[in-house]
Amino acid sequence: MNTKEIEELLERYYEGETSLEEEKLLREFFSVDEVPEKLRQHQPLFRYFIDEASQSIGNEEQEKVLMRRISLFENQVSVSGIQPVQKRMYYLSGIAAGLLILFGLVFTFKSELLRKHFPGKETASTKMAYTQTQQALLLVSVGLNTGLDQVQRFTTLNNAMEQIQKINKFYNYQSQFINPEWMQSPSTNK
Amino acid sequence: MNILDFNTKVYPLKDKIYRLAKRMLEQNEEAEDLVQEVFIRMWKIREKLDEYNSLEALAMVTTKNLCLDKLKARKFPVESWNDQRRFIENIAEEMRPDHSDLLRGVKEAMNTLTEQSRMIIHLRDIEGYEFEEIAEVMGMEENAVRVALSRARKRIRELLVNKKSYEYQRN
């Protein structure tokens, strides 16, 4: 194929008018190292296409991994029949969540439920609470009484003081009637 | 379709699926994951696979759709991370002796194309699909495919010529 023909093909290539066979010819033409200077600028494009078309998903190791993952998926589907594992897990988790909520409700409203269904038990327990409170209050009052004993002593002292006060008052009253001068020099009047 | 049929008819498409996925996602690992996803999707509908005229077209359409979904889900920060990763991944590839600067230039030029034209030029020039087949995969009219292909090829030529002249000036 001469340069002129290739140029013509290239022209049509860029217009999108070449057939697959013609495009293959172009790639073959540019795959060799000796390309006329005039056409060399088009070479990278076709070289790149050839290069890219030979690319595969990777080495054998990667391919094995891919196959294993796909076969794992296949097993997952076929073992469980119609329902894939994911779907079953979905239902199971729903049931588990429902049970959890139910238990939670039972525990939080347990006391209220008991009061409603067993009223006798409730009165017994309140009576017991009442007596217990009474006992506790009694204990407190006994404690208070021991304090009162100390105060009692203080009151007796206070009473004694009052008696003394009375004597004091009497003494003051008496001194008004007794002339001190008489007391000091009774001999002067004689 | 049983596992044996699946292995002989669908599994050999792995490289084609991989190449298209890599063309779109520009990442080896993501492309590998996508191949699995395509296979799993096809396995799920294995009962209906016999009704399709072309399993290859179905696989390619599935690949295209999954790739577009993935690209749409990407956000900006992921994108910049991707650039770094792409750079690292590509080092090994570009160390290959036959992978010259010129070939890298073609790759870069192809990456500047829109998703649609990149896919069309890939299917035609790398996978060697007829216009009819490309139209089926892309969900387009044959004529529209031809126009888009021509535009994509010319765009790459333009970019390569510009790059060359730029390098020439720099040297």
Side-chain angles (χ1 to χ4, degrees):
Chain A
M1 219 172 203
N2 63 43
T3 309
K4 188 108 180 130
E5 280 172 303
I6 291 294
E7 272 185 320
E8 196 199 321
L9 262 185
L10 273 173
E11 196 61 45
R12 285 174 51 226
Y13 169 79
Y14 284 111
E15 292 303 324
E17 286 164 0
T18 40
S19 67
L20 284 176
E21 287 74 33
E22 287 168 325
E23 284 163 20
K24 199 180 167 200
L25 272 176
L26 278 173
R27 281 199 294 275
E28 276 167 7
F29 178 82
F30 285 108
S31 68
V32 293
D33 285 331
E34 294 86 29
V35 171
E37 180 71 44
K38 215 175 161 188
L39 298 170
R40 206 159 284 169
Q41 57 158 321
H42 301 283
Q43 198 173 19
L45 184 65
F46 293 99
R47 277 256 169 126
Y48 178 76
F49 290 151
I50 297 164
D51 213 52
E52 287 295 296
S54 66
Q55 283 222 5
S56 61
I57 190 156
N59 53 32
E60 276 177 36
E61 199 55 46
Q62 272 173 308
E63 239 176 74
K64 270 182 205 159
V65 171
L66 176 69
M67 273 309 272
R68 210 180 305 138
R69 284 210 219 164
I70 290 167
S71 64
L72 265 178
F73 177 77
E74 282 167 7
N75 289 339
Q76 225 178 53
V77 177
S78 52
V79 165
S80 58
I82 315 151
Q83 272 192 4
V85 169
Q86 272 187 338
K87 216 171 190 177
R88 274 195 307 178
M89 283 300 285
Y90 181 79
Y91 286 131
L92 271 176
S93 61
I95 291 163
L99 281 174
L100 242 154
I101 290 167
L102 199 77
F103 277 125
L105 283 173
V106 164
F107 275 112
T108 42
F109 295 109
K110 202 177 130 193
S111 54
E112 269 179 42
L113 282 171
L114 279 174
R115 204 177 302 155
K116 262 187 196 166
H117 293 284
F118 308 101
K121 258 192 182 173
E122 184 241 358
T123 48
S125 68
T126 38
K127 261 182 194 166
M128 205 168 81
Y130 177 69
T131 46
Q132 269 180 356
T133 323
Q134 225 171 14
Q135 271 174 3
L137 283 172
L138 255 167
L139 211 77
V140 172
S141 78
V142 164
L144 272 175
N145 285 344
T146 50
L148 266 174
D149 276 351
Q150 310 292 324
V151 180
Q152 206 70 45
R153 273 187 218 164
F154 195 77
T155 356
T156 43
L157 178 79
N158 216 18
N159 289 341
M161 282 298 281
E162 259 171 42
Q163 305 295 320
I164 292 167
Q165 208 73 37
K166 274 177 191 168
I167 295 168
N168 222 16
K169 240 180 185 174
F170 174 72
Y171 180 76
N172 283 342
Y173 185 67
Q174 194 195 35
S175 61
Q176 279 178 9
F177 295 97
I178 297 166
N179 196 339
E181 281 174 29
W182 296 345
M183 285 180 79
Q184 275 166 14
S185 55
S187 57
T188 51
N189 281 338
K190 283 170 188 178
Chain B
M1 184 175 272
N2 58 29
I3 291 176
L4 269 178
D5 279 344
F6 196 82
N7 279 351
T8 52
K9 287 178 188 163
V10 182
Y11 185 68
L13 297 170
K14 66 185 194 310
D15 288 334
K16 285 190 180 180
I17 297 168
Y18 175 69
R19 285 194 290 261
L20 181 61
K22 208 185 152 200
R23 169 81 41 217
M24 301 312 294
L25 302 173
E26 298 169 53
Q27 268 193 33
N28 299 348
E29 249 179 65
E30 260 191 83
E32 281 163 23
D33 286 347
L34 202 120
V35 175
Q36 286 179 33
E37 241 176 290
V38 171
F39 279 147
I40 287 168
R41 291 227 172 170
M42 290 186 76
W43 176 255
K44 276 182 180 167
I45 54 160
R46 64 191 176 284
E47 307 295 336
K48 295 178 202 152
L49 284 183
D50 294 323
E51 295 164 19
Y52 287 90
N53 294 328
S54 162
L55 287 176
E56 186 167 335
L58 176 69
M60 291 315 237
V61 171
T62 312
T63 311
K64 179 196 81 175
N65 291 338
L66 283 173
C67 281
L68 291 179
D69 286 350
K70 281 249 157 70
L71 289 172
K72 214 181 276 175
R74 274 186 193 169
K75 282 171 189 139
F76 178 70
V78 181
E79 200 68 55
S80 64
W81 178 78
N82 277 345
D83 281 340
Q84 292 176 5
R85 194 147 139 192
R86 210 176 295 149
F87 174 74
I88 295 164
E89 275 184 354
N90 289 348
I91 290 173
E93 203 167 294
E94 280 153 18
M95 292 286 270
R96 290 206 324 251
D98 57 336
H99 213 111
S100 64
D101 276 0
L102 289 171
L103 294 199
R104 191 165 62 219
V106 179
K107 187 180 181 177
E108 279 164 11
M110 277 190 84
N111 285 346
T112 65
L113 298 173
T114 62
E115 283 154 11
Q116 192 192 54
S117 28
R118 212 193 308 174
M119 242 184 274
I120 290 173
I121 199 166
H122 176 88
L123 291 177
R124 179 69 181 191
D125 283 329
I126 292 166
E127 302 299 349
Y129 278 32
E130 292 286 356
F131 285 113
E132 194 190 340
E133 292 168 318
I134 298 171
E136 195 186 339
V137 172
M138 300 300 296
M140 291 165 74
E141 294 288 323
E142 267 185 62
N143 232 9
V145 171
R146 202 181 290 267
V147 170
L149 179 70
S150 163
R151 207 174 289 152
R153 282 171 175 173
K154 282 177 182 167
R155 173 87 185 127
I156 288 172
R157 178 176 62 179
E158 207 175 287
L159 285 168
L160 289 178
V161 169
N162 282 347
K163 198 180 176 241
K164 231 180 182 178
S165 61
Y166 169 72
E167 272 172 5
Y168 180 75
Q169 279 169 7
R170 200 171 51 177
N171 296 337

